Amino acid sequence: MNLSFNVEKIRQDFPILSKKINNKPLIYFDNAATSQTPICVIDCIKDYYEKYNSNIHRGVHSLSDEATSAYEDARNKVKDHFNIKYSEEVIFTSGTTHSINIVSNGFSKILTKDDEIIVSGLEHHSNIVPWQMMIESSGAKLKVIPLMENGELDMDEFANILSLKTKVVFLNHVSNALGLINPIEKIINMSHEKGAYVLIDGAQSAAHFKIDLQKLNVDFFTASAHKLCGPTGVGFLYGKKELLHRMEPLMGGGEMISDVTFSKTTYADLPHKFEAGTPNISGVIAFGRALDYLNEIGLEKIENYENDLLDYANSKLKQIEGLKIYGESKNKTSVISFNIEGIHSYDIGALLDKFGIAVRTGQHCAQPIMDHFGVDGTVRASFSFINTFQEIDDLFEALKKVKSMLS
Ligand SMILES: *Cc1c(COP(=O)(O)O)cnc(C)c1O
């Protein structure tokens, strides 16, 4: 157990943790859906509106300068945190879904009907639907990396479906439904050998460990601020410069142009070409502050502590008879997806709420994974560094009560 990690002190940074739910202290085990927000990030948003609320990149006045430089500082924070080479390779978006749509839209104009794209069977709907839409417009074919029995990707099958026809491979770094960590280094290298580009959806992974994008040599990467202690409605897309130059923007409007007449518009340079309209300025600045916060604690410490929580939760939950865990592997983040025999996942989640415990139930935006396991949903408890071992004991006791009440 990790005694050097002062979780009680960290918990004081999160005002929401003093809230009561159904007269019980809130136990928040839905971190994979959205993380809670520390006071420094909340203050950062408040500060913006109180002290320098102004539109960016346009004004000649001082407030606008201040807002612009805070916004561009945040871009540099993302660049440094993920070890990206050029700041113009960081595009602020409304989140992972928006980022993926930028790439799928860009490629829909580049691909032809002889091309193939590959997605994994472990995907969030946001990494399936945009590609299906893209296929309809380009005629390219979609191939899927199948899952092995425990939910891990079948890498032999990946090697089989990967070919010189493959143009793009899309997959998440960590599955949101199961917490499985995919072997992305291997997938990126194998794909590059065939000349295919790779987009990694890092919405789940970025909160748990440090990611070095230059070392990974990945072509596109995306994450959402609200899963990284930041605000909702903000995220970023990283793309290699030469690829971003080749792609058409998803949205047209102000900020993204260099010259407009009614006959022709030329696009602005990167990253502005992909940032049409007034962005979520306070959100972007607060996203930068959230990354600072995570780095002040240290992602390595966070990772170790969360692994300890996961081990502990695994050993506790397995003591409950009839409880089945999906996606067991040693390569996992702190997520446990489970069912209890004879009880519907929704009923478990609704009763846990009576005990003040927040979990997610259902398909977790990943219906193909549920189909793979032959279930219509699971209960997902996702732990983060704000959780305690005591809370896992409380979950264990609550689940025993739920079981005796419902079975
Ligand atoms: C949450 C999530 C998304 C979607 O993120 P948004 O912020 O809702 O756009 C996509 N992929 C994965 C793996 C996720 O966990």
Side-chain angles (χ1 to χ4, degrees), residues 32-33 94-100 122-127 172-177 201-205 223-227 233-234 380:
S94 69
T96 300
T97 303
H98 180 193
S99 303
I100 294 172
L122 264 180
E123 291 314 299
H124 189 281
H125 292 166
S126 68
N127 216 1
N172 54 35
H173 194 172
V174 167
S175 145
N176 71 305
D201 166 354
Q204 288 298 328
S205 57
S224 297
H226 71 95
K227 290 174 180 170
V234 184
R380 181 186 69 184

Side-chain angles (χ1 to χ4, degrees), residues 1-5 304-305 308-309 311-312 315 389-390 393:
M1 231 172 265
N2 203 320
L3 297 173
S4 70
F5 195 81
N304 289 334
Y305 180 74
D308 290 347
L309 283 177
D311 289 345
Y312 186 67
S315 69
F389 292 87
Q390 178 62 49
D393 288 339

Side-chain angles (χ1 to χ4, degrees), residues 34 52 379:
T34 200
Y52 58 103
V379 181

Side-chain angles (χ1 to χ4, degrees), residues 14 35 55 148 199 228 286 288 311 314 343 347 360 363 370:
F14 291 81
S35 52
N55 214 330
M148 301 196 295
L199 180 149
L228 292 165
D311 289 345
N314 261 319
I343 311 179
D347 296 334
R360 174 94 183 254
Q363 301 179 335
M370 300 298 125

